[in-house]
Amino acid sequence: MADFVHLSAAGVSLVLDFRGPSLPAVVHWGEALGDLGPEQLAEVALATEPQPIGFSADTPVRVSIVPEQSAGWLGHPGLAGHRDGTAWSSAFTVSGVDRSAHGVRVRGFDGTAGLELAIEIELHPAGVLRARARLTSTAPGTYWLDHLTLFLPVPSETTELLDFTGHHLRERSPQRTAFTHGLRVRENRTGRTGYDSAYLLCAGTAGFGNRYGRVWGVHTAFSGNSRTVAERNYHGHSALGGGELLLPGEIGLRPGESYTTPWVFAAFGGQGLDSVSERFHSYLRSRPGHPTRPRPVVVNTWEAVYFDHDLGRLTELAKAAATVGAERFVLDDGWFGSRRDDTSGLGDWTVSPDVWPDGLDPLISVVRDLGMEFGLWVEPEMISPDSDLARAHPDWIMATGDRLPPTARAQQVLDLHNPSAWAYLRDRLDALLSDHDIGYLKWDHNRDLVDAGHPASGRAGVHDQTHAVYRLLDELRARHPGVEIESCSSGGGRVDLEILARTDRIWASDCIDAHERVAIQRWTSLLVPLELIGSHVGAPRSHTTHRELPLDMRAGTAIWGHLGIEWDLTRATSEELTRLGEWVALYKEVRSLLHTGTLVHGDVADPAYSLTGVVSESDALFAVTATATSEAYPPGAVALPGLAPDRLYHVRPQPPGDVPDGNAAAWGAALPWCTPAGLRLSGRTLGTAGLRLPVLYPDRVLLIRATPAGEPT
Ligand code: DGJ
C-alpha cells in the first residue's frame, strides 16, 4: 500500500495519507499541487503537519474522511453508534486500498467494535469530489447507528461561510456568517431535501464573491433527513461535512448488515462561486443520463386553471400554448379520483370520470395534434385521508404508535416501506404511463414527513421511505425510459443531486414572480445547471406575491432556466401573445447556449442590479436585472465576465429584451453600446473596464448579446 494517494483533476488535488494504520488523513484538498512523486507528497505532508502541542495529543492530528476520537479528533465524530453502550468509539485500521475509475476505495475494520468500513472517494474530471461510506456490522447483536458523517478539511484562510435557508415561495435564500470556532450544524428533519436545506455549504476567503476568493463547498446528496456541518476548533482544524440525519433506531445493524451513506459532494474553486458552480455543472452535464435534447417549452396548467379541469377550457389553453410556440403541455393537479380541490383524492390514481368522462385521451389527442408532448402531474408518496385508498388501507399511512401525524395540506404520507403500498403505486403509475401517451411526469411531494413511522412496527421511517422512493423512480424509469420526470416538492423542496440522479428537471419554486425568481434561480444554479431548473412565465399579477410585472421582466427572467409558461393564455391580449411568442422564439434560439455554456455572474457592487450570463466559444448572452432603483444615477460600469480577452465581440442589446417596457427613456438611450448596432469591443475591455449600465426602472431586465467578431486590431 502506497503511503500517499494523490487524486488530481481540472486544477484540484486531494492528497490522502495512508501511513496509518488508521483511516487515511486528508493532507490537502484544494488547488492542484502538480505532478508529485512519493517524495514530494511526503514533503507536502511534512510541511503541513500540525504541531503536537502541550497538554494535548502527543502525535499530530489530521482530519480523516471519517474523523475518530481514537485518532485524536475532538470535534463532531464521523461515526457515532453503539452496541448497548459499548463499541461507541471506533478505531479503524485500513485493510485495503483499491484504485477505482475516478479515485480510491478504502477498506477498514475495527475488530473490537465489530465493524467494517468501506469508503469510496472519487475526484471526477470536472474537479468535483464525491465520497460515501458503507458500514457493516460483523459482531453478534445489534449495532445502533446514530450517524455516519463524511468530512473534508478546509484551510484556515476560510473565514466566511455561506449556506442557505428558505421557505415555501422563497427557496435557497443565502445567509453568510463568520467561520468562527465551534460547530455549525444545518439539520434537515423535514423528510425531504427541504426549502431551507444547507444546499451547498461554502467556506471561503474573506469577502469571496461570484468571481473572486477561494471557495470550498459541500453538498449532501440526499432527499430525506440530512446534516451538513462546518466545524473549526482551537487546534486549527477546520472541516466541512455531510451525511444523513438518522432518527432514533432507524438503523440497527445485525451481523452482516450494512448501511451506506449518501454521496457527499464537494468542490473547490479558486475564482469565487462561479468557479465552484462550473465544476458542478460540468460534472452533471457529463452524466450519461443528463438530458441533452433541447429543453422543450412547457405550458403548465396549475396557475392557469388550478382545479378547474374542463376539456373545452384546456383545449383553448392548449391552442394558445401552441400559438406562442410551446412544446410540452402539462396537466397539473386535479385530474384523478375525487380531487376537485386539495382536500381529497391523493392515492386514487385513476382518471376522474366526473371531470374527464371520456378519460384523458381526448385532451392528449388535442395536445399531440397541436405538436406538443403531454405531461401529467402526480404526487405518488401522499395519501388523502379522504380517498378510496385510505379507506381501503388505513394501515398504509405512515404513523407512530396509535396516532396519526398531524395533517398538512390535508394529507398524509403513504408508507412506501410497506411492499404492498409500494407495489400498488408502481402498478398504478406504470398503468398510467402504459395506457396513455405521456412523455413527462411532474412528480410532486407536498408535505414534510412529521412523526413518520412505519405503522406496523412504530419505528421511524424516513430513511426507508427515502430509499423506497428512489427504488420506485428507478423502476419506473427502467420501464419507461422515454419519460422525463420533474422533481417538485411544494415548489423547490426537493432539490439535491440524488433526486437529480433519477429526474430530469427540478421545479425551483412555486413563486414565479420574476422579482423573487432572480434570487431563487441565481442560488439554485449555484449547484444545478440552467437546463435542469424549471422557470415559468406567470400571469401579469403574480398569484403568490400579487406583484404586477411587465411581460418583458417575467419572460426575460424565465428564459434563464428550462422555460415554461404558467398563465391562462386564453386571457392574454393579442399583443401579449405576440410578445410572448417573441420571447419563446428567443429562448429556442439561445437554449443550446444557455444549456451547455458556462454560467457567469458579475460582482456588481450596486445592490439594485445583478448581472448573469452564459458564455460559450461562439456566443454569449447576459442579463442585467434591476430589482430596485440604483443609488447612483446613472449607475456605474460592470465587467462582462467569461469572455476571451483577445477576441473582439459585437456587443449590443438583445431583442426582445432590448427596450425594457418599450420605454427607452428609462435606460439612457445615449449609451454608445446600447443601440441596435452596438459596438465592437475586445473581451479584455468588456471583462475589465466593463460596460456602463443604463438606468433601468426597477424590475426590468435588459439582455446583452456578445458574439465573437474576430481579433482586436
Ligand atoms: C405544488 C406544486 O409546487 C405546484 O406547482 C402545483 O403542482 C401544486 N402542488 C398542485 O397541487
Side-chain angles (χ1 to χ4, degrees):
M1 191 188 310
D3 282 350
F4 296 96
V5 167
H6 180 197
L7 304 178
S8 190
V12 174
S13 278
L14 178 79
V15 180
L16 300 170
D17 180 347
F18 281 95
R19 290 174 299 173
S22 53
L23 293 174
V26 182
V27 170
H28 172 83
W29 168 43
E31 193 113 23
L33 295 170
D35 195 9
L36 303 185
E39 288 83 30
Q40 292 148 313
L41 290 172
E43 192 182 292
V44 174
L46 200 61
T48 58
E49 188 167 284
Q51 182 186 17
I53 29 94
F55 302 94
S56 194
D58 291 330
T59 44
V61 175
R62 287 202 191 261
V63 182
S64 93
I65 294 261
V66 180
E68 297 172 288
Q69 272 213 348
S70 58
W73 172 256
L74 291 173
H76 188 287
L79 173 66
H82 65 98
R83 296 177 186 281
D84 291 334
T86 66
W88 60 274
S89 176
S90 65
F92 286 100
T93 299
V94 173
S95 54
V97 183
D98 308 307
R99 292 306 288 245
S100 61
H102 295 296
V104 282
R105 290 199 194 95
V106 183
R107 279 169 282 118
F109 71 95
D110 176 340
T112 309
L115 295 172
E116 285 176 3
L117 189 65
I119 307 174
E120 292 170 76
I121 305 166
E122 298 175 350
L123 180 62
H124 283 259
V128 168
L129 263 173
R130 65 173 194 170
R132 68 177 174 184
R134 192 181 75 242
L135 182 74
T136 306
S137 176
T138 56
T142 302
Y143 178 81
W144 292 104
L145 178 64
D146 293 335
H147 69 83
L148 179 49
T149 308
L150 305 183
F151 281 81
L152 284 163
V154 292
S156 51
E157 65 179 299
T158 55
T159 55
E160 290 179 22
L161 293 174
L162 166 72
D163 64 11
F164 294 84
T165 179
H167 54 73
H168 184 225
L169 308 175
R170 199 180 202 278
E171 293 85 342
R172 287 167 289 287
S173 184
Q175 49 186 3
R176 288 244 186 185
T177 55
F179 194 176
T180 52
H181 286 183
L183 179 66
R184 177 171 176 78
V185 187
R186 295 299 316 282
E187 288 193 340
N188 162 45
R189 295 174 181 271
T190 63
R192 49 178 164 173
T193 322
Y195 310 115
D196 66 333
S197 79
Y199 197 49
L200 186 65
L201 188 158
C202 296
T205 51
F208 69 90
N210 292 327
R211 309 287 299 176
Y212 61 88
R214 290 148 60 82
V215 183
W216 289 255
V218 164
H219 167 76
T220 308
F222 196 58
S223 318
N225 292 336
S226 67
R227 180 185 281 122
T228 305
V229 301
E231 180 160 22
R232 167 158 290 164
N233 67 24
Y234 63 86
H235 285 314
H237 289 126
S238 307
L240 307 180
E244 181 176 1
L245 186 154
L246 293 169
L247 296 172
E250 271 195 311
I251 301 294
L253 300 177
R254 291 187 292 267
E257 289 183 343
S258 298
Y259 163 83
T260 302
T261 68
W263 284 107
V264 176
F265 283 80
F268 160 76
Q271 283 93 41
L273 293 166
D274 278 355
S275 58
V276 173
S277 299
E278 189 174 346
R279 293 193 190 285
F280 278 112
H281 296 176
S282 310
Y283 165 76
L284 289 165
R285 286 172 174 171
S286 72
R287 300 170 307 157
H290 191 75
T292 47
R293 77 178 163 107
R295 300 291 75 213
V297 178
V298 174
V299 162
N300 180 288
T301 61
W302 181 241
E303 287 201 0
V305 304
Y306 292 103
F307 288 101
D308 184 13
H309 284 207
D310 172 79
L311 178 59
R313 185 169 177 196
L314 288 166
T315 299
E316 291 312 307
L317 181 64
K319 284 182 185 162
T323 310
V324 297
E327 299 161 309
R328 174 181 282 164
F329 186 92
V330 180
L331 183 66
D332 212 283
D333 198 354
W335 57 267
F336 53 93
S338 61
R339 188 81 169 166
R340 301 295 77 77
D341 59 30
D342 65 4
T343 62
S344 73
L346 292 172
D348 299 340
W349 300 110
T350 42
V351 180
S352 164
D354 299 340
V355 277
W356 297 102
D358 299 314
L360 292 178
D361 286 339
L363 178 66
I364 294 176
S365 298
V366 167
V367 167
R368 300 295 284 146
D369 290 348
L370 287 165
M372 295 182 288
E373 189 180 279
F374 183 78
L376 193 64
W377 178 96
V378 288
E379 193 181 359
E381 298 140 79
M382 298 295 157
I383 178 165
S384 302
D386 182 4
S387 65
D388 292 343
L389 187 69
R391 283 182 281 275
H393 300 286
D395 54 322
W396 286 8
I397 299 175
M398 291 195 92
T400 297
D402 56 4
R403 61 180 188 270
L404 279 176
T407 53
R409 208 191 189 209
Q411 65 198 53
Q412 296 285 8
V413 183
L414 199 56
D415 180 20
L416 293 186
H417 189 56
N418 178 328
S420 306
W422 190 93
Y424 163 80
L425 265 192
R426 190 257 331 265
D427 293 345
R428 285 311 314 137
L429 293 169
D430 183 43
L432 275 171
L433 294 174
S434 304
D435 297 348
H436 300 92
D437 184 2
I438 294 173
Y440 182 77
L441 278 186
K442 176 178 174 184
W443 186 297
D444 209 341
H445 176 288
N446 285 313
R447 66 158 296 170
D448 294 327
L449 271 61
V450 175
D451 218 14
H454 300 307
S457 63
R459 298 178 64 155
V462 173
H463 169 86
D464 291 337
Q465 181 79 358
T466 311
H467 285 277
V469 174
Y470 290 157
R471 281 201 312 280
L472 185 60
L473 281 160
D474 290 344
E475 176 140 355
L476 288 167
R477 283 169 73 85
R479 290 186 184 201
H480 303 276
V483 175
E484 291 194 4
I485 302 180
E486 171 176 30
S487 169
C488 172
S489 185
S490 342
R494 188 148 68 181
V495 180
D496 63 78
L497 295 192
E498 195 57 45
I499 202 73
L500 271 170
R502 34 185 70 77
T503 52
D504 305 283
R505 159 175 146 132
I506 48 101
W507 181 226
S509 178
D510 274 352
C511 183
I512 52 176
D513 169 341
H515 175 95
E516 303 291 328
R517 272 282 182 147
V518 173
I520 294 169
Q521 288 171 199
R522 187 276 170 265
W523 293 115
T524 302
S525 69
L526 182 64
L527 184 69
V528 176
L530 298 186
E531 62 272 24
L532 301 179
I533 302 176
S535 167
H536 293 178
V537 181
R541 184 184 207 205
S542 162
H543 291 202
T544 53
T545 64
H546 283 201
R547 190 181 273 122
E548 299 207 12
L549 293 174
L551 175 54
D552 286 349
M553 172 66 179
R554 280 142 52 214
T557 303
I559 63 165
W560 297 88
H562 175 184
L563 180 69
I565 299 159
E566 200 169 327
W567 170 17
D568 185 357
L569 293 178
T570 62
R571 293 176 186 210
T573 64
S574 60
E575 291 76 27
E576 285 174 323
L577 291 176
T578 304
R579 191 68 168 169
L580 182 59
E582 288 168 14
W583 278 104
V584 168
L586 174 69
Y587 168 78
K588 289 179 179 173
E589 183 199 325
V590 297
R591 64 185 157 189
S592 70
L593 165 68
L594 297 177
H595 297 166
T596 60
T598 305
L599 184 64
V600 296
H601 299 89
D603 281 304
V604 185
D606 189 333
Y609 282 66
S610 62
L611 183 132
T612 302
V614 175
V615 179
S616 77
E617 270 290 297
S618 55
D619 206 351
L621 185 70
F622 298 90
V624 177
T625 306
T627 46
T629 56
S630 172
E631 300 161 345
Y633 193 67
V638 65
L640 297 191
L643 300 173
D646 294 326
R647 271 188 161 177
L648 197 63
Y649 289 88
H650 177 205
V651 57
R652 72 278 184 193
Q654 168 65 56
D658 54 343
V659 184
D661 219 15
N663 188 339
W667 51 273
L671 278 177
W673 69 269
C674 212
T675 66
L679 287 180
R680 281 171 169 69
L681 297 169
S682 72
R684 181 165 283 107
T685 298
L686 291 165
T688 51
L691 281 181
R692 263 288 175 167
L693 294 180
V695 175
L696 294 175
Y697 288 130
D699 288 326
R700 299 295 188 275
V701 61
L702 171 66
L703 297 185
I704 304 169
R705 191 80 173 259
T707 38
E711 308 293 318
T713 47

